[in-house]
Amino acid sequence: MSIAVRWAKRRVFVSVTLVIVLYYFLSSFYHPYQISTILPHTKPEDVWEFVADFSRMKKLNPTILNFRVLADHGNFEHWKYTVEYDERLSHWPHTFNTAIGHYSVRKLPESDGGQYSVASTHRTCFLLGLFCVHSKGEFKISRIHHEDTYCEETVHYQCPFFFGRFCRREVEYQRQAIMENLRKQFKLKAFGR
């Protein structure tokens, strides 16, 4: 075997190995995250309407900078809308991303628990759209006891293997901030009665 053939085989082997390693470190896997809270002295319908309105999301999620609604249709029983929004990352505040979220807002039938739901899918892009990840989530709201509301959010987010801890911290920060700001919002309303 000539030196040129061996060199070509070695180059192909190194290239394939490099592609496999890069794919492993940059490929995105879905990771789950769940958070819940109880809002005393609230009605689930009021919380649902507040969470479903994206214009209020800026008040709940401190990383959202601006947004615009791209599409909106449906009725009170099942409302769907699409929104494009810009965010800054909480742990790297000079890093920005643009996302498109598709929302489905509805009251689930009694056979499914009768909960209020705000489900969504998101495509979040970095580096001027060169690198994008996906996430999906559902915010469920239901009555517990006589006057309290239970809120539970489940999120499944993509994250490259290499950025696992960073993604987790970002998701935790945003979801915890949303729940805390929601508690503050409805605590103020309860005292305003």
Side-chain angles (χ1 to χ4, degrees), residues 28-151:
S28 298
F29 303 101
Y30 278 100
H31 305 276
Y33 182 76
Q34 190 171 48
I35 188 170
S36 63
T37 193
I38 294 173
L39 303 174
H41 310 294
T42 59
K43 295 179 182 176
E45 300 87 4
D46 294 343
V47 177
W48 177 56
E49 288 176 12
F50 191 88
V51 171
D53 184 352
F54 198 87
S55 66
R56 294 183 175 148
M57 191 53 71
K58 267 181 92 168
K59 190 181 279 188
L60 296 177
N61 186 344
T63 65
I64 294 177
L65 301 171
N66 55 54
F67 72 96
R68 68 186 184 107
V69 176
L70 303 177
D72 181 9
H73 65 282
N75 54 37
F76 187 75
E77 284 79 33
H78 193 183
W79 174 36
K80 292 182 179 184
Y81 65 91
T82 300
V83 65
E84 178 181 54
Y85 57 96
D86 298 316
E87 288 181 303
R88 66 172 172 73
L89 298 180
S90 64
H91 294 90
W92 288 352
H94 300 294
T95 305
F96 301 92
N97 65 69
T98 299
I100 302 237
H102 302 280
Y103 286 82
S104 174
V105 179
R106 63 192 177 104
K107 183 174 189 234
L108 300 174
E110 292 300 323
S111 60
D112 292 336
Q115 297 172 320
Y116 295 89
S117 170
V118 179
S120 60
T121 60
H122 304 262
R123 182 174 187 259
T124 305
C125 296
F126 299 86
L127 304 172
L128 301 172
L130 295 175
F131 179 72
C132 298
V133 292
H134 296 86
S135 62
K136 54 189 171 185
E138 185 169 20
F139 202 106
K140 290 185 178 180
I141 303 156
S142 57
R143 180 176 310 283
I144 58 169
H145 308 298
H146 294 293
E147 294 185 352
D148 300 340
T149 298
Y150 177 71
C151 301

